[in-house]
Amino acid sequence: MAPLPVAGGKRVAARRAAWICFADECGQTLKPHKAATWAPKGVTPIAHVTATGNARVSVAGLVCYRPGHRSRLIYRTKTSGRGRKGEPKGFRERDFARLLDAAHRQLQAPIVLVWDGLNAHRSTRMKALIAARPWLRVYRLPAYAPELNPIEKAWSGLKRSLANLPARTAGSLAIAVKNRLKRMQHRTHLIDGYLTGTGLSPPTPPGP
């Protein structure tokens, strides 16, 4: 999993008629982000939230691009901090593998995956899981380059949409996160815009 040679990754995708998928994870707690909002003049709006405990909704997702096809957002969520002792936080290697398997079934084509250097992405276990999937090719983004990953812009939009949200339980927060991601899935122009915003060129169509 060498750092991404953009042109090389695009050539591989074109040669294999593959989807280029950019992956990343984000998380949301019961403490919402604060943002400006409407209120009667002179009245400061107050949103009462729980903001206690360690409840967290983690999201792992892919934005997927292929010439001639509608761009896709594919994701999975995981809720932690509900009091289960020893419960792992966030996504681990097997979780990532299940997400990739689900994407492969949905896209019905090979995948060229681009993601960062998170420990779980380059562990020995993850390398074995990748090697067991002949339809998968993996490239790593340069270090400290979130601006090159279009799904970062999806997470930014998600967090803005959750600003001031008074979620009181992990369950209600998970529902809110899924609702907003489902709306994104139906707005293909947004998913296309995430790639445009990185300055990277679109995938290359396969040759004749």
Side-chain angles (χ1 to χ4, degrees):
M1 289 187 290
L4 171 68
V6 176
K10 288 171 59 179
R11 284 195 295 269
V12 170
R15 187 170 63 248
R16 294 167 58 85
W19 289 78
I20 295 183
C21 298
F22 294 83
D24 194 43
E25 305 80 51
C26 75
Q28 180 69 34
T29 66
L30 291 176
K31 184 177 181 180
H33 299 276
K34 292 183 289 185
T37 187
W38 294 98
K41 186 175 181 179
V43 179
T44 301
I46 299 175
H48 296 279
V49 298
T50 303
T52 59
N54 59 347
R56 175 184 175 88
V57 176
S58 300
V59 186
L62 311 167
V63 284
C64 309
Y65 304 94
R66 185 182 177 193
H69 293 73
R70 179 175 62 86
S71 301
R72 310 287 183 88
L73 167 64
I74 302 171
Y75 70 90
R76 291 293 184 269
T77 64
K78 189 173 186 178
T79 305
S80 59
R82 286 174 163 172
R84 292 189 284 268
K85 188 175 181 180
E87 180 183 36
K89 294 182 180 180
F91 285 75
R92 304 304 302 164
E93 291 90 342
R94 183 59 65 180
D95 301 311
F96 290 129
R98 281 194 284 264
L99 171 61
L100 293 170
D101 288 340
H104 183 232
R105 288 193 298 270
Q106 182 173 332
L107 300 173
Q108 297 184 343
I111 290 174
V112 171
L113 176 67
V114 183
W115 59 8
D116 60 22
L118 186 72
N119 288 340
H121 294 172
R122 49 191 176 85
S123 68
T124 300
R125 187 179 185 190
M126 192 73 243
K127 290 177 181 177
L129 291 168
I130 291 169
R133 289 160 171 79
W135 43 265
L136 180 63
R137 293 289 184 274
V138 179
Y139 293 89
R140 201 165 67 240
L141 286 163
Y144 310 112
E147 71 280 0
L148 294 179
N149 195 340
I151 200 168
E152 292 278 5
K153 301 183 186 302
W155 300 155
S156 178
L158 171 65
K159 289 180 180 294
R160 285 197 304 271
S161 72
L162 294 169
N164 302 331
L165 178 72
R168 294 181 174 274
T169 66
S172 62
L173 178 60
I175 290 172
V177 168
K178 290 177 183 178
N179 283 343
R180 284 152 177 79
L181 290 171
K182 285 177 182 177
R183 290 177 201 165
M184 288 185 193
Q185 286 180 316
H186 295 291
R187 301 176 70 182
T188 304
H189 66 283
L190 268 184
I191 303 172
D192 291 337
Y194 299 150
L195 180 61
T196 302
T198 65
L200 297 175
S201 57
T204 306

Coordinates of all heavy atoms in Angstrom, one line a residue, residues 22-26 59-63 74 96 99 113-116 118 121 141 146 149 151-152 155:
F22 N -12.9 6.4 -2.4 CA -12.1 7.0 -1.3 C -12.8 6.7 0.0 O -14.0 6.9 0.2 CB -12.1 8.5 -1.5 CG -11.4 9.0 -2.8 CD1 -12.0 8.9 -4.0 CD2 -10.0 9.4 -2.7 CE1 -11.3 9.3 -5.1 CE2 -9.3 9.8 -3.8 CZ -10.0 9.8 -5.1
A23 N -12.0 6.3 1.0 CA -12.6 5.9 2.3 C -12.1 6.7 3.4 O -11.0 7.3 3.4 CB -12.2 4.4 2.5
D24 N -12.9 6.8 4.5 CA -12.5 7.5 5.7 C -13.5 7.2 6.8 O -14.6 6.6 6.5 CB -12.4 9.0 5.5 CG -11.6 9.7 6.6 OD1 -10.6 9.1 7.1 OD2 -12.1 10.7 7.1
E25 N -13.2 7.6 8.0 CA -14.1 7.4 9.1 C -14.3 8.7 9.9 O -13.5 9.6 9.8 CB -13.6 6.4 10.2 CG -13.2 5.1 9.6 CD -11.8 5.1 8.9 OE1 -10.9 5.5 9.6 OE2 -11.8 4.6 7.8
C26 N -15.4 8.9 10.5 CA -15.7 10.0 11.4 C -16.5 9.6 12.6 O -17.0 8.4 12.6 CB -16.3 11.2 10.6 SG -18.1 10.9 10.3
V59 N -18.8 6.3 12.0 CA -19.2 6.1 10.6 C -18.0 5.8 9.8 O -17.0 6.5 9.9 CB -19.9 7.3 10.0 CG1 -20.5 7.0 8.6 CG2 -21.0 7.8 10.9
A60 N -18.0 4.7 9.0 CA -17.0 4.4 8.0 C -17.7 4.5 6.6 O -18.8 3.9 6.5 CB -16.4 3.1 8.2
G61 N -17.1 5.2 5.7 CA -17.8 5.3 4.4 C -16.9 5.4 3.2 O -15.6 5.6 3.4
L62 N -17.5 5.3 2.1 CA -16.8 5.3 0.8 C -17.5 6.3 -0.1 O -18.8 6.2 -0.2 CB -16.7 4.0 0.1 CG -16.2 2.7 0.9 CD1 -16.5 1.5 0.1 CD2 -14.7 2.8 1.1
V63 N -16.8 7.1 -0.8 CA -17.4 7.8 -2.0 C -16.8 7.2 -3.2 O -15.6 7.0 -3.3 CB -17.2 9.3 -2.0 CG1 -18.2 10.0 -1.0 CG2 -15.8 9.7 -1.7
I74 N -21.4 5.0 0.1 CA -21.7 3.8 0.8 C -21.1 3.8 2.2 O -20.0 4.2 2.4 CB -21.1 2.6 0.1 CG1 -21.7 2.5 -1.4 CG2 -21.4 1.2 0.8 CD1 -21.0 1.5 -2.3
F96 N -13.9 -3.0 8.4 CA -13.6 -2.4 7.1 C -13.8 -3.4 6.0 O -14.3 -3.1 4.9 CB -12.2 -1.9 7.1 CG -11.9 -0.7 8.0 CD1 -10.9 -0.7 8.9 CD2 -12.7 0.4 7.9 CE1 -10.6 0.4 9.7 CE2 -12.5 1.6 8.7 CZ -11.4 1.6 9.6
L99 N -17.4 -3.7 5.2 CA -17.8 -2.6 4.4 C -17.4 -2.7 2.9 O -18.2 -2.5 2.0 CB -17.3 -1.3 5.0 CG -17.5 0.0 4.1 CD1 -18.9 0.3 3.9 CD2 -16.8 1.2 4.8
L113 N -9.2 1.2 -4.1 CA -9.5 1.9 -2.8 C -8.4 2.9 -2.5 O -7.2 2.5 -2.6 CB -9.6 0.9 -1.7 CG -9.8 1.4 -0.3 CD1 -11.2 2.1 -0.1 CD2 -9.7 0.3 0.7
V114 N -8.7 4.1 -2.1 CA -7.8 5.1 -1.7 C -8.1 5.5 -0.2 O -9.3 5.9 0.0 CB -7.8 6.3 -2.6 CG1 -6.8 7.3 -2.2 CG2 -7.6 5.9 -4.0
W115 N -7.2 5.4 0.7 CA -7.4 5.8 2.1 C -6.2 6.3 2.7 O -5.1 6.2 2.1 CB -8.2 4.8 2.9 CG -7.5 3.4 3.0 CD1 -6.3 3.1 2.7 CD2 -8.1 2.2 3.6 NE1 -6.0 1.8 3.0 CE2 -7.1 1.2 3.6 CE3 -9.4 2.0 4.2 CZ2 -7.4 0.0 4.1 CZ3 -9.6 0.7 4.7 CH2 -8.6 -0.3 4.6
D116 N -6.3 6.7 4.0 CA -5.1 7.3 4.7 C -4.3 6.2 5.4 O -4.6 5.0 5.3 CB -5.5 8.4 5.6 CG -6.5 7.9 6.7 OD1 -6.5 6.7 7.0 OD2 -7.2 8.7 7.3
L118 N -4.1 5.3 8.6 CA -4.6 4.9 9.9 C -4.0 3.5 10.2 O -3.8 2.6 9.3 CB -6.1 4.8 9.9 CG -6.8 4.5 11.2 CD1 -6.7 5.7 12.2 CD2 -8.3 4.1 11.0
H121 N -5.6 0.5 8.9 CA -5.6 0.4 7.4 C -4.3 -0.3 7.0 O -4.3 -0.9 5.9 CB -5.6 1.8 6.8 CG -6.9 2.5 7.0 ND1 -7.1 3.8 6.6 CD2 -8.1 2.1 7.5 CE1 -8.3 4.2 6.9 NE2 -9.0 3.2 7.5
L141 N -3.2 7.5 0.7 CA -3.0 9.0 0.5 C -1.7 9.4 1.1 O -1.2 8.8 2.1 CB -4.1 9.7 1.2 CG -5.5 9.7 0.5 CD1 -6.6 10.1 1.4 CD2 -5.5 10.6 -0.8
P146 N -5.7 15.5 4.2 CA -7.1 15.2 4.1 C -7.8 16.0 3.0 O -8.9 15.6 2.6 CB -7.6 15.7 5.5 CG -6.5 16.7 6.0 CD -5.3 16.1 5.4
N149 N -8.9 14.0 0.0 CA -9.9 12.9 0.2 C -11.3 13.5 0.2 O -11.8 14.2 1.1 CB -9.7 12.2 1.6 CG -10.4 10.9 1.6 OD1 -11.4 10.6 0.8 ND2 -10.0 10.0 2.5
I151 N -14.2 12.3 0.7 CA -15.2 12.0 1.7 C -15.0 12.8 2.9 O -16.0 13.0 3.7 CB -15.1 10.4 2.0 CG1 -16.5 10.0 2.7 CG2 -13.9 10.1 2.9 CD1 -16.6 8.5 2.8
E152 N -13.9 13.5 3.1 CA -13.8 14.4 4.2 C -14.8 15.5 4.1 O -15.3 16.1 5.1 CB -12.3 15.0 4.2 CG -11.2 14.0 4.6 CD -11.1 13.8 6.1 OE1 -11.9 14.4 6.8 OE2 -10.1 13.1 6.4
W155 N -18.1 14.3 5.4 CA -18.1 14.4 6.9 C -18.3 15.8 7.4 O -19.0 16.1 8.4 CB -16.8 13.8 7.5 CG -16.5 12.4 7.2 CD1 -15.2 11.9 7.2 CD2 -17.4 11.3 6.9 NE1 -15.3 10.6 6.9 CE2 -16.6 10.2 6.7 CE3 -18.7 11.2 6.7 CZ2 -17.1 8.9 6.4 CZ3 -19.3 10.0 6.4 CH2 -18.5 8.9 6.2

